[in-house]
Structures are given as C-alpha cells and as structure tokens.
Amino acid sequence: MIAVLGVLGTGAAYVLNYRIIDDEGPTAASVVTYLLPIVAVVLGWLFLDEAITAAIAAGIALVLAGVTLTRKRSAEQR
C-alpha cells in the first residue's frame, strides 16, 4: 500500500513538473523549488506555532523578490 502511494505521488509530481516545463519553461519549473521552504515556514508558523524571526522574514522577502524578477523577465520575453 505504501509503495502504491509513493509511486502515485511521485508519478503525479513528475507529470506536473513536466507539464510546468512544457507550459511555462524550465525557469518557472525551477522557481517552484525556491517557494517550497517559504511554504514550510508559513505552515510551521500557522500550525506548529513556530517563530518567524527577522532573518527568516528577510530571507522570505529576498526569495520572493528573486522569484518576482525571474517571472517578470520571462513575461517580457514572450
């Protein structure tokens, strides 16, 4: 049962990843990996009452600024 869940989850992730690459390009697909730690920090703050320090907030802002710049550049190239 666990193997089936793992294979289906991994298979779905690969399909979605290749779909993003096909639709938006490899830059957009790689940007997703930068957003995952931000989601983890926010979920930890919401559900586990973890603290968000100034350094964490600055890191989140820096990552979001970088993602915004990459998305803006790719939108201009279309």
Side-chain angles (χ1 to χ4, degrees):
M1 182 64 168
I2 292 175
V4 171
L5 292 174
V7 169
L8 290 178
T10 302
Y14 272 100
V15 168
L16 290 173
N17 189 40
Y18 284 115
R19 179 64 186 221
I20 291 172
I21 291 171
D22 190 41
D23 290 347
E24 297 292 327
T27 303
S30 67
V31 164
V32 171
T33 61
Y34 296 121
L35 298 176
L36 292 177
I38 295 174
V39 172
V41 167
V42 171
L43 289 176
W45 174 68
L46 286 173
F47 296 109
L48 301 175
D49 200 30
E50 294 179 350
I52 296 182
T53 64
I56 292 172
I60 289 172
L62 186 63
V63 169
L64 291 177
V67 168
T68 301
L69 289 173
T70 61
R71 297 303 300 153
K72 186 179 250 186
R73 181 176 295 161
S74 64
E76 290 173 357
Q77 291 176 350
R78 290 184 191 176

